[in-house]
Structure formats: C-alpha cells, structure tokens
Amino acid sequence: MDTIMGGSKSIEFGADLIKKGEIVAFPTETVYGLGASAYNEDAVKKIFIAKGRPQDNPLIVHISSPIDAIEIAKEIPDEAYVLWEMFSPGPLTLVLNKKSIIPDIVTAGYQTVGIRIPNNEIALSLISKSGLPLAAPSANLSGRVSPTEAIHVYKDLNGRIPLIIDGGRCNIGIESTVLDLTKNTPTILRPGFISPEQIAERIGNVINHKGDIVRVESPGMKYSHYMPICPCVSALTTGSACELYDKNENAVILGTNSFIESCGNRAVVSLGDTPDDCMKNIFKALRDSEESFSYIIVESFKDKHGYFALNNRLSKATKGITY
Ligand code: TXA
Ligand code: MG
C-alpha cells in the first residue's frame, strides 16, 4: 500500500506533487480531502476525473490563514473576519466573491468561491509547504460515503491518485458548514458541524438550510451522496429497527447506546451517546457495516435536538426511507 504514507516526509512529498500539478489526498478535521493547486486548471481537472465528480459541482478552496483569502476573494465582508476569528481554523466554509486568479473549473463557473481553513496540522502544513491554496472536495468516489480514514480513501481511489497522506482518523467526521456571505442575508448552503445558532450568535440573521426564505442550495446537495453499497434505511424506534432486522438477512442496527441497548442479541454498531459522537462515527460505521452486512438499519435522528447535520447526511444515505 505504498500510496498511503504518514509522517513529515509524506507532507514534503505531497507538497512537491501539488507544486508539480498532481493531486494528493490528505486528512482534515472533518473528512479526508483530495487536493490540487487551486490555481492550476489541469491539476483541478484531475480531481474531477479521479472522483467521477459532476463538473457543475464547485470545490472548496483550503487556505492556512485568513490572510490568504485576500488573494482569492474580493469584497470580503466584515462578517467573514468575525467568523474566522471565532471558527478558524475549523469546519466552516465561507462562500465569497472570487477573484479571477481562481479558474472557473474550481467554482464550476460560479463567480463565488468556497474558502475554508482546516483545523488539522497535516492539512495546514501541506498548504504552507506547497505555498498554494488547495482546491479539495472530499476524497471519495462521487456519490460514496465520505472518507474519515486513509483506508477509506484507498478503497475508493487507489490507482487513481499518487499519494494518500495518512493522518489517522478525522476528529469531527462530518463535513464543514457551508455559509454563503454573498447574499443579502448570510445563508447556510450545507449544514455541518458548526450550527446556524453558533453563526447567528456572531453575525445575526442567518438563513438556515431549512429556512422559510427562498432556500439556495449548495449545488452538491442535489446529487445522491453518502450512499452505502447495500440497502440502508432508518428506523424511528428500536421496535421498528428490530422488526426490519428480523425481516432482512444479514442485517445490522446502528444507533446510540440507548437505542441499541434493547436490540437483544441482534448485530449492532454503537454510534456513541452524543451528537458529536455520532457525527464522528457515522461514516466509519456505514463503511464498516457495508463490508460485513447486507442491510443497514440506522436510528432516525429526525427532529432530535443537535442532530440536524447528521440527519441531513442520513436522509441521503437512506434516500429518506424511514420506518
Ligand atoms: O469539510 C469539508 O468541507 C470537506 C473537507 C475536505 O474540507 N470538503 C467537502 O467538499 O466536503 P465537497 O466537495 O465534498 O463538498 C463541498 C460542498 C458542495 O456541496 C459544493 O456544492 C459546496 O460545498 N460549494 C463549494 N463551493 C461553492 C460555491 N462557490 N457556491 C456554493 N456552494 C459551494
Ligand atoms: Mg463530498
């Protein structure tokens, strides 16, 4: 598995590859990313090819400090600095008006660019060492579950990319919140680890992803995402989870400890106790389960406080099928 490398040598090697116009998978605190120089159109093309990603879905540009944003975004509003002060480095992507130095392929033709400062030493050092902003989507095949370990990237992309930098398991395990600051009212395009309330607390007036005001979605949200390779459904109660389990061969139940406690001797996977636990564990649990089981039943977190982002991902993994 020599595509997977760890340690400081791997970062040097990765930075060299990026400078030469290659693509490199690297860890962030949310999920693994597949990065290329955001200034290099040909390099960015390789990302779309390796992932099989639709060309109309824009990429997030990763930088190591708010200062780097000045080179790629124009008309940066005060709100951006307020939010960076609070949440950077961290799992928040700000959509700003782009400068022409960012080629259209990165932003899928949009005149805006999503910018994020990842809270991960390896990612930050890869950006600094290459001296370039990195355009990077999650490092999975398009439509598949996002990778939270190097081995997940390997399974999807081995043979398609020259290097996977192994930084262990991602701390957060769910993607960044995408917030559009080019609208009259800041608008959440993709819910993520940082909640609308946390953002509103700093800058006021945020339109939630499910807000009443006309909703502007991240283009990426319309594609099928996070789908395991076997059927996956959600269950509102332990009772319905057990019923589904008994009706399907080789099934497994994923849920919080209190949910799986009363599943008898059926196969279960714990997602932990809290929303943070569940976000950290969900993608790994889905990936592990699809390898050993042929039917996945996940606890439904619909309308449960604190689980909005998780529920958003699960509604895609389950195609909205809830029992
Ligand atoms: O945590 C994350 O955000 C991870 C890590 C690797 O940083 N990245 C990630 O990238 O999830 P990706 O490509 O899988 O998802 C990016 C999302 C998509 O839904 C895309 O449509 C949206 O961000 N997006 C990016 N740039 C945008 C823009 N200029 N306008 C609107 N939406 C944008
Ligand atoms: Mg993705």
Side-chain angles (χ1 to χ4, degrees):
M1 284 217 255
D2 49 357
T3 4
I4 301 190
M5 274 176 75
S8 60
K9 281 236 166 69
S10 66
I11 304 175
E12 302 280 347
F13 183 40
D16 278 345
L17 286 169
I18 298 277
K19 284 191 268 188
K20 285 183 192 142
E22 272 306 327
I23 58 178
V24 171
F26 62 95
T28 81
E29 81 282 30
T30 57
V31 300
Y32 274 73
L34 180 60
S37 161
Y39 296 151
N40 185 331
E41 200 172 323
D42 290 334
V44 173
K45 259 183 211 151
K46 292 181 189 171
I47 295 179
F48 282 92
I49 293 166
K51 278 188 59 114
R53 182 178 175 104
Q55 291 267 355
D56 63 349
N57 192 4
L59 307 182
I60 293 171
V61 175
H62 298 69
I63 57 176
S64 59
S65 142
I67 295 166
D68 302 344
I70 296 165
E71 203 170 322
I72 57 186
K74 56 184 180 190
E75 300 141 19
I76 302 176
D78 292 346
E79 284 91 343
Y81 291 101
V82 171
L83 292 171
W84 279 326
E85 173 90 36
M86 185 65 197
F87 299 115
S88 95
L92 177 67
T93 296
L94 299 182
V95 173
L96 302 170
N97 287 314
K98 85 172 183 80
K99 285 188 174 166
S100 57
I101 191 166
I102 298 292
D104 281 352
I105 184 169
V106 172
T107 62
Y110 286 74
Q111 288 314 301
T112 56
V113 58
I115 297 179
R116 174 164 121 74
I117 304 166
N119 188 13
N120 175 289
E121 284 309 318
I122 295 176
L124 291 172
S125 139
L126 184 67
I127 297 164
S128 316
K129 288 218 157 72
S130 63
L132 291 162
L134 299 185
S138 50
N140 49 277
L141 283 175
S142 200
R144 292 272 293 118
V145 175
S146 300
T148 54
E149 290 180 10
I151 189 72
H152 300 159
V153 182
Y154 184 84
K155 284 185 182 161
D156 273 15
L157 298 175
N158 183 38
R160 294 168 175 249
I161 60 175
L163 175 66
I164 300 165
I165 301 178
D166 190 351
R169 195 159 163 206
C170 301
N171 277 334
I172 288 181
I174 194 164
E175 298 92 337
S176 63
T177 305
V178 179
L179 179 72
D180 190 343
L181 287 180
T182 69
K183 302 273 181 275
N184 283 336
T185 307
T187 302
I188 292 184
L189 304 181
R190 179 179 70 179
F193 187 74
I194 293 178
S195 69
E197 291 78 16
Q198 281 174 293
I199 294 167
E201 229 171 75
R202 300 284 141 187
I203 59 168
N205 281 352
V206 172
I207 298 177
N208 186 315
H209 180 64
K210 14 178 224 184
D212 302 346
I213 309 173
V214 179
R215 203 177 57 173
V216 186
E217 288 203 319
S218 271
M221 302 299 279
K222 75 181 185 221
Y223 297 104
S224 57
H225 267 76
Y226 315 111
M227 288 189 305
I229 51 181
C230 67
C232 179
V233 301
S234 66
L236 287 165
T237 61
T238 306
S240 62
C242 292
E243 213 172 288
L244 284 165
Y245 182 100
D246 296 342
K247 276 191 203 145
N248 288 281
E249 249 177 55
N250 197 26
V252 62
I253 302 172
L254 278 49
T256 49
N257 289 325
S258 60
F259 189 85
I260 59 177
E261 241 161 44
S262 33
C263 291
N265 57 3
R266 296 174 179 86
V268 293
V269 175
S270 165
L271 297 176
D273 286 308
T274 63
D276 285 9
D277 289 344
C278 292
M279 285 193 263
K280 177 164 186 183
N281 294 326
I282 187 65
F283 288 153
K284 177 176 165 60
L286 288 173
R287 281 199 177 251
D288 288 347
S289 300
E290 71 181 2
E291 289 193 352
S292 315
F293 300 95
S294 27
Y295 192 85
I296 303 174
I297 304 149
V298 196
E299 174 180 359
S300 168
F301 296 95
K302 210 166 161 286
D303 300 327
K304 281 192 191 144
H305 185 72
Y307 289 93
F308 184 61
L310 181 73
N311 188 49
N312 170 271
R313 303 306 189 277
L314 281 180
S315 67
K316 288 166 198 291
T318 60
K319 299 203 196 83
I321 305 171
T322 306
Y323 292 92

mmCIF file of all heavy atoms in Angstrom, residues 31-32 51 53 57 137-147 175 190 220 225-226, ligand 2:
data_model
loop_
_atom_site.group_PDB
_atom_site.id
_atom_site.type_symbol
_atom_site.label_atom_id
_atom_site.label_comp_id
_atom_site.label_asym_id
_atom_site.label_seq_id
_atom_site.Cartn_x
_atom_site.Cartn_y
_atom_site.Cartn_z
ATOM 1 N N VAL A 31 -13.305 15.479 7.116
ATOM 2 C CA VAL A 31 -13.151 14.244 6.341
ATOM 3 C C VAL A 31 -11.866 14.397 5.521
ATOM 4 O O VAL A 31 -11.305 15.490 5.460
ATOM 5 C CB VAL A 31 -14.367 14.010 5.396
ATOM 6 C CG1 VAL A 31 -15.664 13.902 6.194
ATOM 7 C CG2 VAL A 31 -14.495 15.108 4.339
ATOM 8 N N TYR A 32 -11.410 13.313 4.883
ATOM 9 C CA TYR A 32 -10.234 13.434 4.017
ATOM 10 C C TYR A 32 -10.596 14.233 2.763
ATOM 11 O O TYR A 32 -11.703 14.112 2.240
ATOM 12 C CB TYR A 32 -9.704 12.047 3.628
ATOM 13 C CG TYR A 32 -8.742 11.476 4.654
ATOM 14 C CD1 TYR A 32 -9.217 11.007 5.877
ATOM 15 C CD2 TYR A 32 -7.363 11.442 4.414
ATOM 16 C CE1 TYR A 32 -8.336 10.506 6.839
ATOM 17 C CE2 TYR A 32 -6.479 10.937 5.369
ATOM 18 C CZ TYR A 32 -6.963 10.474 6.570
ATOM 19 O OH TYR A 32 -6.092 9.992 7.518
ATOM 20 N N LYS A 51 -12.451 11.404 -9.094
ATOM 21 C CA LYS A 51 -13.652 11.183 -8.290
ATOM 22 C C LYS A 51 -14.876 10.808 -9.115
ATOM 23 O O LYS A 51 -15.865 10.322 -8.588
ATOM 24 C CB LYS A 51 -14.022 12.486 -7.555
ATOM 25 C CG LYS A 51 -13.267 12.755 -6.290
ATOM 26 C CD LYS A 51 -13.871 13.970 -5.583
ATOM 27 C CE LYS A 51 -15.324 13.786 -5.239
ATOM 28 N NZ LYS A 51 -15.658 13.740 -3.836
ATOM 29 N N ARG A 53 -16.575 13.194 -10.525
ATOM 30 C CA ARG A 53 -17.452 14.235 -9.980
ATOM 31 C C ARG A 53 -18.092 15.060 -11.091
ATOM 32 O O ARG A 53 -17.418 15.445 -12.042
ATOM 33 C CB ARG A 53 -16.633 15.156 -9.078
ATOM 34 C CG ARG A 53 -17.422 16.272 -8.383
ATOM 35 C CD ARG A 53 -16.477 17.056 -7.501
ATOM 36 N NE ARG A 53 -17.036 18.211 -6.854
ATOM 37 C CZ ARG A 53 -17.378 18.265 -5.564
ATOM 38 N NH1 ARG A 53 -17.270 17.187 -4.822
ATOM 39 N NH2 ARG A 53 -17.811 19.379 -5.041
ATOM 40 N N ASN A 57 -20.351 20.920 -9.972
ATOM 41 C CA ASN A 57 -20.336 20.970 -8.504
ATOM 42 C C ASN A 57 -19.018 21.600 -8.039
ATOM 43 O O ASN A 57 -17.958 21.002 -8.187
ATOM 44 C CB ASN A 57 -20.489 19.543 -7.960
ATOM 45 C CG ASN A 57 -20.767 19.535 -6.466
ATOM 46 O OD1 ASN A 57 -20.928 20.587 -5.842
ATOM 47 N ND2 ASN A 57 -20.794 18.348 -5.896
ATOM 48 N N PRO A 137 -12.265 18.625 -2.793
ATOM 49 C CA PRO A 137 -13.525 18.025 -2.339
ATOM 50 C C PRO A 137 -13.193 16.884 -1.383
ATOM 51 O O PRO A 137 -12.012 16.589 -1.162
ATOM 52 C CB PRO A 137 -14.113 17.476 -3.635
ATOM 53 C CG PRO A 137 -12.903 17.071 -4.430
ATOM 54 C CD PRO A 137 -11.787 18.023 -4.045
ATOM 55 N N SER A 138 -14.209 16.243 -0.826
ATOM 56 C CA SER A 138 -13.951 15.054 -0.026
ATOM 57 C C SER A 138 -13.343 13.979 -0.939
ATOM 58 O O SER A 138 -13.669 13.914 -2.125
ATOM 59 C CB SER A 138 -15.238 14.567 0.624
ATOM 60 O OG SER A 138 -16.273 14.471 -0.333
ATOM 61 N N ALA A 139 -12.453 13.138 -0.353
ATOM 62 C CA ALA A 139 -11.640 12.220 -1.167
ATOM 63 C C ALA A 139 -12.307 10.862 -1.378
ATOM 64 O O ALA A 139 -11.695 9.813 -1.170
ATOM 65 C CB ALA A 139 -10.263 12.052 -0.525
ATOM 66 N N ASN A 140 -13.570 10.893 -1.798
ATOM 67 C CA ASN A 140 -14.291 9.656 -2.086
ATOM 68 C C ASN A 140 -14.697 9.668 -3.560
ATOM 69 O O ASN A 140 -14.684 10.709 -4.198
ATOM 70 C CB ASN A 140 -15.555 9.587 -1.224
ATOM 71 C CG ASN A 140 -16.355 10.877 -1.288
ATOM 72 O OD1 ASN A 140 -16.044 11.829 -0.577
ATOM 73 N ND2 ASN A 140 -17.351 10.918 -2.164
ATOM 74 N N LEU A 141 -15.056 8.485 -4.070
ATOM 75 C CA LEU A 141 -15.669 8.463 -5.393
ATOM 76 C C LEU A 141 -16.980 9.220 -5.277
ATOM 77 O O LEU A 141 -17.662 9.134 -4.253
ATOM 78 C CB LEU A 141 -15.947 7.014 -5.833
ATOM 79 C CG LEU A 141 -14.755 6.204 -6.323
ATOM 80 C CD1 LEU A 141 -15.186 4.764 -6.585
ATOM 81 C CD2 LEU A 141 -14.134 6.815 -7.576
ATOM 82 N N SER A 142 -17.341 9.955 -6.306
ATOM 83 C CA SER A 142 -18.544 10.771 -6.259
ATOM 84 C C SER A 142 -19.754 9.915 -5.885
ATOM 85 O O SER A 142 -19.946 8.831 -6.428
ATOM 86 C CB SER A 142 -18.755 11.416 -7.626
ATOM 87 O OG SER A 142 -19.596 12.516 -7.492
ATOM 88 N N GLY A 143 -20.534 10.401 -4.924
ATOM 89 C CA GLY A 143 -21.730 9.674 -4.519
ATOM 90 C C GLY A 143 -21.525 8.718 -3.362
ATOM 91 O O GLY A 143 -22.481 8.253 -2.761
ATOM 92 N N ARG A 144 -20.259 8.413 -3.062
ATOM 93 C CA ARG A 144 -19.978 7.441 -1.987
ATOM 94 C C ARG A 144 -19.858 8.153 -0.632
ATOM 95 O O ARG A 144 -19.780 9.368 -0.550
ATOM 96 C CB ARG A 144 -18.687 6.682 -2.315
ATOM 97 C CG ARG A 144 -18.847 5.771 -3.513
ATOM 98 C CD ARG A 144 -19.350 4.390 -3.122
ATOM 99 N NE ARG A 144 -18.367 3.657 -2.330
ATOM 100 C CZ ARG A 144 -18.568 3.254 -1.072
ATOM 101 N NH1 ARG A 144 -19.660 3.525 -0.430
ATOM 102 N NH2 ARG A 144 -17.629 2.577 -0.443
ATOM 103 N N VAL A 145 -19.796 7.320 0.406
ATOM 104 C CA VAL A 145 -19.667 7.826 1.767
ATOM 105 C C VAL A 145 -18.333 8.571 1.918
ATOM 106 O O VAL A 145 -17.303 8.095 1.443
ATOM 107 C CB VAL A 145 -19.711 6.634 2.754
ATOM 108 C CG1 VAL A 145 -19.464 7.095 4.175
ATOM 109 C CG2 VAL A 145 -21.039 5.902 2.639
ATOM 110 N N SER A 146 -18.350 9.725 2.581
ATOM 111 C CA SER A 146 -17.115 10.491 2.755
ATOM 112 C C SER A 146 -16.111 9.717 3.618
ATOM 113 O O SER A 146 -16.502 9.025 4.550
ATOM 114 C CB SER A 146 -17.415 11.831 3.417
ATOM 115 O OG SER A 146 -18.296 12.566 2.610
ATOM 116 N N PRO A 147 -14.815 9.836 3.281
ATOM 117 C CA PRO A 147 -13.790 9.060 3.988
ATOM 118 C C PRO A 147 -13.311 9.740 5.267
ATOM 119 O O PRO A 147 -12.974 10.918 5.258
ATOM 120 C CB PRO A 147 -12.643 8.988 2.975
ATOM 121 C CG PRO A 147 -12.817 10.196 2.112
ATOM 122 C CD PRO A 147 -14.269 10.608 2.161
ATOM 123 N N GLU A 175 -18.697 16.829 7.326
ATOM 124 C CA GLU A 175 -18.125 17.950 6.591
ATOM 125 C C GLU A 175 -18.457 19.318 7.201
ATOM 126 O O GLU A 175 -19.361 19.457 8.011
ATOM 127 C CB GLU A 175 -18.600 17.955 5.135
ATOM 128 C CG GLU A 175 -18.187 16.744 4.343
ATOM 129 C CD GLU A 175 -19.239 15.672 4.399
ATOM 130 O OE1 GLU A 175 -20.040 15.664 5.348
ATOM 131 O OE2 GLU A 175 -19.239 14.837 3.490
ATOM 132 N N ARG A 190 -25.041 24.339 3.183
ATOM 133 C CA ARG A 190 -24.928 22.941 3.615
ATOM 134 C C ARG A 190 -24.743 22.938 5.120
ATOM 135 O O ARG A 190 -23.791 23.518 5.631
ATOM 136 C CB ARG A 190 -23.718 22.259 2.957
ATOM 137 C CG ARG A 190 -23.556 20.807 3.410
ATOM 138 C CD ARG A 190 -22.387 20.091 2.756
ATOM 139 N NE ARG A 190 -21.110 20.582 3.222
ATOM 140 C CZ ARG A 190 -19.937 20.115 2.821
ATOM 141 N NH1 ARG A 190 -19.888 19.172 1.914
ATOM 142 N NH2 ARG A 190 -18.818 20.615 3.294
ATOM 143 N N GLY A 220 -23.965 20.851 -4.766
ATOM 144 C CA GLY A 220 -23.598 19.477 -4.422
ATOM 145 C C GLY A 220 -24.703 18.720 -3.729
ATOM 146 O O GLY A 220 -24.729 17.502 -3.739
ATOM 147 N N HIS A 225 -25.696 11.224 -2.399
ATOM 148 C CA HIS A 225 -24.477 11.297 -1.615
ATOM 149 C C HIS A 225 -24.505 10.260 -0.508
ATOM 150 O O HIS A 225 -25.562 9.846 -0.087
ATOM 151 C CB HIS A 225 -24.409 12.657 -0.919
ATOM 152 C CG HIS A 225 -23.654 13.674 -1.692
ATOM 153 N ND1 HIS A 225 -24.174 14.284 -2.783
ATOM 154 C CD2 HIS A 225 -22.405 14.183 -1.517
ATOM 155 C CE1 HIS A 225 -23.292 15.148 -3.254
ATOM 156 N NE2 HIS A 225 -22.216 15.103 -2.505
ATOM 157 N N TYR A 226 -23.352 9.948 -0.010
ATOM 158 C CA TYR A 226 -23.232 9.193 1.238
ATOM 159 C C TYR A 226 -23.951 7.848 1.192
ATOM 160 O O TYR A 226 -24.488 7.401 2.187
ATOM 161 C CB TYR A 226 -23.793 10.011 2.413
ATOM 162 C CG TYR A 226 -23.346 11.449 2.417
ATOM 163 C CD1 TYR A 226 -24.255 12.473 2.161
ATOM 164 C CD2 TYR A 226 -22.024 11.785 2.654
ATOM 165 C CE1 TYR A 226 -23.861 13.788 2.155
ATOM 166 C CE2 TYR A 226 -21.613 13.104 2.645
ATOM 167 C CZ TYR A 226 -22.532 14.104 2.392
ATOM 168 O OH TYR A 226 -22.144 15.406 2.385
HETATM 169 MG MG MG B 2 -18.249 15.297 -0.698
#
